[in-house]
């Protein structure tokens, strides 16, 4: 390729946002080159040019070769690929000259290091010790070993000098946060959380390090220990992209990050609080494109699923979804809306925040600071000719009252409440000041729910539960059912769990229960009447999950209390 063509290639790709590189000017690390097999490199005309902070710089003759990118992702799982473009002439010249020499020198270096280590260990500890050293060195030459060593070296490049610590100023923090390694590390943490399917990211400063933990399937897992030296820059980076005040460290702050990963829009709800060893950052991941919508995907029991679908099929009334924070209430509401979302239906939602996107649905974000709360949005909705209304949460008397009025005037309303069980919703509404007869006449039903970790279906093991477990679940000692426990395999990363599963309690109002609600009956008596009419309690549903191998007794004990 002529110099003129090379310059034109560089100019056109810069305009497209892709960097042009001259391979002859790059200092290649042979370990990075060895990440991809030579056959793939020649087939797609690609070269791994650099690796740092879980990002692989990939030089490509054709940066639009999607098949090549897919093949690289299959070989090196979990990395973020940053394509750069190079000329075909440069690629051919590199492969015929430098490529073979670099790999040959690396192999010679490895062989020499192996021989020295084996010799030292054989003299010191005999053949057994030498065999162990050989095994460890072989592991270090695997793809995972190479990636780990490169990652550790990248982290070292972020470290700063501890000998002199100047006074912190806004400018200093901004500068440290804008350094490329800090940006890459911050992006790497976000990408890792998304890849692992986490719901929350916790950055927790300790005395001598910064701990990164991810909440996966409802349980926190420690994934990284970062040097204390990068704490200020990393936390400041997250505060900058969340549009928070990096100079304010004494007060909690809330912000939001919007990113794109592989063309998926993903939001992070960011919260910071001052702690003993520095500011702790917690980020809730709101992946709008990764929502498991559909009631049949959430409610596994066919009987309960049919009851819930019958409830949402009603033309008007209120359906309450109750449960603690993080129990999947919003996903259940959206799944109900998704099944009703037809072109001839007008659906409006009031949310804080808007967590997922639904086509043909009019979604409104509440803004308390300007007076746009749920009650005001609801009043506006009633002038917008709605068929179905969703209210993110019934928090106060005014919102509850307008929602009841909307239900009584021919609208189907979905909303959430914070109560322990289904019958507790009526007590909560009474505490808000809603008249019992209005609750009785407007409510279609109440769905209470929890989330437990789902057993890995590939490696679960059956066992016979002990008498204490049987007594807790209301079974006779001689019933001898089969429950299931964790084992661990490759598919679940040896945790025994993969994903989460819902525990549901669906209370559908009939004439008897409506009369009890109108008379202000206690939640216990309402639950008793509902059970007589066939309602499965949270404990009943948990027992069904246990017997069908969806969760474990340990998980049930964490979400269902003894009284239930």
């Amino acid at each position: 390729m002529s110099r003129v063509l090379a310059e034109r290639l560089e100019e056109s790709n810069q305009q497209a946002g892709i960097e042009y590189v001259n391979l002859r000017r790059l200092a290649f690390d042979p370990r990075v080159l060895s990440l991809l097999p030579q056959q793939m490199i020649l087939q797609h005309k690609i070269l791994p040019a650099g690796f740092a902070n879980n990002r692989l710089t990939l030089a490509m003759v054709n940066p639009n070769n999607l098949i090549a990118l897919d093949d690289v992702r299959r070989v090196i799982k979990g990395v973020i690929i940053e394509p750069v473009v190079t000329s075909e002439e440069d690629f051919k010249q590199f492969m015929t000259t430098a490529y073979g020499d670099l790999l040959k020198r690396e192999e010679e270096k490895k062989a020499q290091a192996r021989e020295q280590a084996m010799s030292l260990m054989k003299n010191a500890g005999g053949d057994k010790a030498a065999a162990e050293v050989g095994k460890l060195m072989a592991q270090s030459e695997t793809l995972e070993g190479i990636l780990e060593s490169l990652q550790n070296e990248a982290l070292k490049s972020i470290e700063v000098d501890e000998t002199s610590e100047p006074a912190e100023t806004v400018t200093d923090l901004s500068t440290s946060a804008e350094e490329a390694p800090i940006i890459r590390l911050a992006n790497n943490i976000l990408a890792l959380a998304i890849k692992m399917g986490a719901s929350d990211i916790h950055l927790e400063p300790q005395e001598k390090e910064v701990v990164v933990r991810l909440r996966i399937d409802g349980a926190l897992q420690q994934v990284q220990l970062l040097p204390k030296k990068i704490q200020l820059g990393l936390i400041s980076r997250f505060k900058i992209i969340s549009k928070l005040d990096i100079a304010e460290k004494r007060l909690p702050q809330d912000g939001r990050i919007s990113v794109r990963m592989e063309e998926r829009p993903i939001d992070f709800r960011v919260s910071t609080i001052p702690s003993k060893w520095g500011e702790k950052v917690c980020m809730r991941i709101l992946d709008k494109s990764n929502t498991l919508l559909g009631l049949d995907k959430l409610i596994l029991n066919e009987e309960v699923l049919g009851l819930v679908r019958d409830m949402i099929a009603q033309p008007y009334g209120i359906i309450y979804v109750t449960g603690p924070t993080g129990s999947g209430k919003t996903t259940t509401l959206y799944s109900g809306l998704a099944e009703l979302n037809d072109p001839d239906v007008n659906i409006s939602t009031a949310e804080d925040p808007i967590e997922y996107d639904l086509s043909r649905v009019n979604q409104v974000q509440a803004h308390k600071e300007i007076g746009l709360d749920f009650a005001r949005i609801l009043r506006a909705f009633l002038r917008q000719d709605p068929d179905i209304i969703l209210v993110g949460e019934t928090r106060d008397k005014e919102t509850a009252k307008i929602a009841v009025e909307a239900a009584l005037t021919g609208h189907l309303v979905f909303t959430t409440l914070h109560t322990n069980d289904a019958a507790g919703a009526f007590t909560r509404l009474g505490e808000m000041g809603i008249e019992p007869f209005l609750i009785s006449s407007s409510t279609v039903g109440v769905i209470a729910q929890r989330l437990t970790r789902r057993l890995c279906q590939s490696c679960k093991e059956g066992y016979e539960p002990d008498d204490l477990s049987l007594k807790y679940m209301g079974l006779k000692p001689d019933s001898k059912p089969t429950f299931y426990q964790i084992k661990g395999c490759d598919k679940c990363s040896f945790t025994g769990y993969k994903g989460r599963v819902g525990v549901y309690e669906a209370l559908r109002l009939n004439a008897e229960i409506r009369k009890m609600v109108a008379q202000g009956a206690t939640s216990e008596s309402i639950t008793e009447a509902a059970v007589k009419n066939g309602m499965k309690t949270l404990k009943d549903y948990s027992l069904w999950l246990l017997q069908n191998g969806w969760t474990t007794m340990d998980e049930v004990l964490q979400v269902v209390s003894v009284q239930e």
Side-chain angles (χ1 to χ4, degrees):
M1 185 182 287
S2 68
R3 182 179 176 184
V4 175
L5 287 175
E7 289 175 352
R8 288 181 180 175
L9 177 66
E10 180 177 356
E11 181 181 352
S12 64
N13 282 287
Q14 283 178 345
Q15 290 173 354
I18 303 173
E19 182 184 355
Y20 174 85
V21 295
N22 187 333
L23 298 182
R24 286 168 288 185
R25 297 177 183 174
L26 292 181
F28 280 90
D29 187 332
R31 293 172 300 169
V32 177
L33 283 176
S34 66
L35 292 174
L36 295 178
Q38 184 175 355
Q39 183 181 355
M40 182 184 292
I41 289 173
L42 292 171
Q43 178 187 352
H44 296 304
K45 297 178 182 177
I46 56 177
L47 276 172
F51 181 84
N53 297 316
N54 207 43
R55 288 178 175 268
L56 177 70
T57 302
L58 190 67
M60 309 176 70
V61 172
N62 176 15
N64 298 317
N65 187 346
L66 300 180
I67 296 175
L69 294 173
D70 287 341
D71 284 349
V72 173
R73 289 189 183 100
R74 277 194 288 270
V75 174
I76 313 175
K77 294 179 173 62
V79 300
I80 301 168
I81 300 174
E82 290 186 339
V84 295
V85 71
T86 189
S87 68
E88 188 167 359
E89 182 181 338
D90 279 356
F91 175 80
K92 288 179 179 178
Q93 186 174 1
F94 180 86
M95 293 303 295
T96 54
T97 56
Y99 181 78
D101 291 340
L102 284 168
L103 291 187
K104 185 179 179 181
R105 284 201 296 268
E106 181 65 14
E107 284 302 319
E108 291 173 352
K109 183 179 175 183
K110 286 179 182 178
Q112 187 178 3
R114 275 196 299 267
E115 288 175 6
Q116 290 175 351
M118 295 286 282
S119 176
L120 287 170
M121 289 303 297
K122 195 167 184 179
N123 292 334
D127 293 336
K128 187 176 181 180
E132 287 297 320
V133 171
K135 184 179 177 182
L136 290 171
M137 293 201 67
Q139 289 175 348
S140 69
E141 292 174 13
T142 62
L143 179 64
E144 292 77 9
I146 294 170
L147 289 173
E148 185 176 354
S149 65
L150 290 168
Q151 187 81 339
N152 290 337
E153 290 177 15
L155 281 177
K156 288 178 184 176
S157 68
I158 301 172
E159 295 181 1
V160 295
D161 186 10
E162 273 188 318
T163 54
S164 57
E165 295 185 7
E168 297 167 17
T169 65
V170 176
T171 306
D172 292 335
L173 290 177
S174 299
T175 304
S176 65
E178 290 298 334
E179 291 174 356
I182 290 289
I183 295 174
R184 286 199 298 269
L185 180 59
N187 292 343
N188 177 30
I189 291 170
L190 299 181
L192 179 65
I194 296 167
K195 175 181 173 293
M196 295 183 71
S199 60
D200 299 87
I201 305 171
H202 292 256
L203 259 66
E204 301 170 331
Q206 304 297 316
E207 184 178 5
K208 295 181 180 178
E209 67 267 327
V210 179
V211 178
V212 181
R213 296 200 291 172
L214 303 180
R215 188 174 294 280
I216 301 170
D217 297 336
L220 279 172
Q221 298 180 19
Q222 181 175 305
V223 294
Q224 282 181 307
L225 273 178
L226 301 176
K228 185 72 172 178
K229 304 168 187 178
I230 68 166
Q231 176 179 317
L232 294 177
L234 182 62
I235 291 175
S236 295
R237 172 63 186 168
F238 283 121
K239 291 176 74 174
I240 287 169
I241 59 179
S242 307
K243 298 179 175 58
L244 301 179
D245 183 0
I246 60 174
E248 179 55 76
K249 295 181 176 184
R250 300 166 299 173
L251 297 174
Q253 297 187 68
D254 294 304
R256 197 178 183 96
I257 302 173
S258 296
V259 301
R260 296 185 73 84
M261 183 176 176
E262 298 176 353
E263 301 305 316
R264 287 159 50 199
I266 300 168
D267 287 350
F268 296 81
R269 219 164 53 206
V270 183
S271 171
T272 69
I273 58 169
S275 66
K276 181 178 181 181
W277 303 112
E279 285 182 283
K280 178 185 182 296
V281 180
C282 180
M283 292 174 275
R284 166 64 58 88
I285 302 173
L286 307 172
D287 188 351
K288 299 180 181 181
S289 63
N290 195 31
T291 313
L292 190 68
L293 294 183
L295 291 172
D296 56 334
K297 297 181 178 68
L298 304 175
I299 306 174
L300 303 178
N301 184 285
E302 291 293 333
E303 183 183 345
V304 177
L305 174 63
L307 180 59
V308 171
R309 280 182 165 159
D310 182 53
M311 287 162 58
I312 69 170
Q314 299 306 304
Y316 56 86
I318 297 184
I319 298 170
Y320 296 98
V321 180
T322 75
T325 302
S327 59
K329 298 188 298 294
T330 303
T331 304
T332 299
L333 289 174
Y334 270 91
S335 296
L337 286 184
E339 296 197 2
L340 300 173
N341 189 10
D342 293 326
D344 59 347
V345 176
N346 179 19
I347 301 175
S348 298
T349 73
E351 304 173 64
D352 185 20
I354 296 174
E355 296 192 16
Y356 307 111
D357 294 331
L358 278 180
S359 61
R360 296 196 305 269
V361 174
N362 310 294
Q363 297 173 274
V364 179
Q365 168 77 54
H367 290 287
K368 289 183 181 178
E369 59 273 12
I370 60 172
L372 188 63
D373 55 13
F374 284 148
R376 189 167 183 178
I377 296 170
L378 268 177
R379 282 194 294 267
F381 279 170
L382 295 177
R383 298 190 292 273
Q384 290 282 320
D385 185 31
D387 297 301
I388 301 171
I389 297 172
L390 182 148
V391 186
E393 184 182 344
T394 300
R395 299 173 178 170
D396 51 55
K397 179 180 179 179
E398 188 177 9
T399 304
K401 187 176 180 181
I402 299 170
V404 167
E405 290 174 356
L408 292 173
T409 52
H411 305 91
L412 183 62
V413 181
F414 294 113
T415 188
T416 68
L417 278 173
H418 286 288
T419 64
N420 290 326
D421 57 10
F426 306 119
T427 305
R428 179 80 181 97
L429 290 167
E431 291 171 351
M432 288 184 180
I434 308 300
E435 295 293 338
F437 74 91
L438 290 176
I439 301 171
S440 169
S441 54
S442 64
T443 304
V444 172
V446 185
I447 304 165
Q449 70 178 83
R450 304 285 190 277
L451 281 181
T452 71
R453 286 191 287 177
R454 182 196 297 253
L455 263 174
C456 176
Q457 299 300 298
S458 300
C459 65
K460 64 183 181 182
E461 290 184 330
Y463 74 99
E464 190 175 310
D466 56 32
D467 291 345
L468 186 61
S469 298
L470 293 174
K471 182 180 179 182
Y472 177 81
M473 297 309 300
L475 298 175
K476 296 179 180 178
D478 57 351
S479 57
K480 295 184 179 180
T482 299
F483 288 0
Y484 294 83
Q485 61 189 0
I486 63 173
K487 181 182 178 183
C489 64
D490 291 335
K491 293 184 179 179
C492 60
S493 301
F494 296 96
T495 63
Y497 297 102
K498 191 172 183 181
R500 287 196 280 181
V501 62
V503 182
Y504 290 89
E505 178 178 288
L507 192 162
R508 173 72 191 275
L509 270 69
N510 57 19
E512 178 189 357
I513 296 175
R514 285 188 192 281
K515 185 176 180 181
M516 294 178 69
V517 173
Q519 294 173 347
T522 63
S523 59
E524 289 80 8
S525 58
I526 293 173
T527 299
E528 187 178 340
V531 169
K532 287 179 181 177
N533 284 279
M535 182 186 80
K536 282 185 179 293
T537 64
L538 290 170
K539 183 183 283 188
D540 296 333
Y541 198 101
S542 298
L543 177 60
W544 183 86
L545 292 174
L546 287 170
Q547 292 176 326
N548 286 272
W550 289 110
T551 191
T552 64
M553 192 68 198
D554 289 341
E555 287 295 304
V556 169
L557 291 172
Q558 293 185 41
V559 297
V560 180
S561 69
V562 177
Q563 289 79 20
E564 289 170 342

